[in-house]
Amino acid sequence: MSELHDLTALEQASAIREGSLSPVQLTEHYLSRIEQLNDTLGAFVTPTPELARAQAVEAEKGLQAAHREDRPLPPLYGVPVPVKDTLAVAGVRTTRGSAVFADSVPDADDPLVGHLRNAGTIMLGKTNTPEFALPPYTENKVAPPARTPWDLALSAGGSSGGAAAAVAAGLAPLAQGTDDGGSIRIPASVCGLVGIKPSRGRVAAGPLRYDAAGLSVSGPLARTVADAAALLDVMTGAASDNPYTAPPLPKGTTFLSYAGKDPGPLRIVALVNPPIPGVHVHPDCLAAHHEAITVLRELGHHVDELDVPADESGRRAFQTLWAVLAVAHPVDERAEADLMPLTRHLRKVAGGISAPEYAEALQVLRAMGQLVSGALLQSYDVMLSPTLAQPPVPVGGLRDDDPQAELENLTRFTPYTPLYNLTGQPAMNVPLHWRQDGLPIGVMLGADLGDEGTLISLAAQLESARPWFAHHPAMW
């Protein structure tokens, strides 16, 4: 180990508990890297050095008290975990990626921020997001674009692009993200990370964005499966007014415990053709998918390759519900001109959605969940597919002056990920494949509602068979 950021988050936490590393020392290390690299990377919208230092001092005091009282500490105690700039943090501006809210400062924490505080993690700042966390790129009017550290000409993806860029470049050991249609898994693929979209209802929602359809959920981004699982343990818990509740874990287990558990032989269905008609899959993404099949079979899993007919109904339902998310943020009519073109377009579309159209979209959402659980996952334990249909794209490469053309670009880029937001099932990106030029190309694993444990065990097995932790970008 030559630098503190070379350690995994769990290794950092262990060193803190043992007394060989202090929360203050670790926090200063990451604040220094943010100061040096963030202007180039676009990972953070609002670094919070004063808050981070104050929390680190409190963590130091808590560590000393725990030692005196022989009291155990949470698994990630003293470890920095930034949050996406869609979450409310009391006293810290929350832009939601929008110039309209550039000066908005909430006076209360999101429930999830409370979980992170209670676990003793350190808040380095607010990570970059596109406006209202809508598109799968991270470009807005309040901060520089988020770039993947593997090639700074390329986008970090989105909408949790700032979070992924921060972790991949060593500006944070872990990060929280949100996923409405792939917003954790997309940047995880682009930045070479583990990214988990948990089951619907697994993590507390609100107060800024109550998503009645249940598309959106928060989850972890990390460099290792165990780190991601440990952060998911911290994040787990529903607020009393959360409209959804995920199935509980078996008594006495944690998500982290699954990272050390042999998954046993699994029945896996590999789905390569996109669920949306007319979408072409890039050879790099096909190569990643087929490499994953090979590795899974080498590990003793049974893998069937199936073609499922493409269907427009899922895309129509998702885009209807997604457009409604764009109007979940109240914007004064006089400020509409300050919104990004895609946001304005989606809000206009949402204004024309009738009650029967919205009800139909919800019915498709429920039907797809029943179809996947009742058909595919009665015969299989895990679904495998490419995470994306294209490799990382240049900054600005998905945007278009014509919002309808931009929507087509987004569909061609990420046709696979929205399925799990519609069904509510857990899914995760694993960085199993790397191009010859060093760019990561992820693959996606999905399981039945509440079965994050199987995904975590399988991903940990893949990580052990094909270690990816030693891959670092040049700016590392």
Side-chain angles (χ1 to χ4, degrees), residues 259-272:
K261 180 180 177 182
D262 187 335
L266 297 173
R267 302 162 302 162
I268 299 171
V269 58
L271 306 170
V272 68

Side-chain angles (χ1 to χ4, degrees), residues 274-299:
I276 298 170
V279 174
H280 171 74
V281 185
H282 192 280
D284 291 340
C285 301
L286 291 175
H289 179 75
H290 291 302
E291 180 184 351
I293 291 173
T294 298
V295 177
L296 288 166
R297 286 174 173 162
E298 289 173 354
L299 292 170

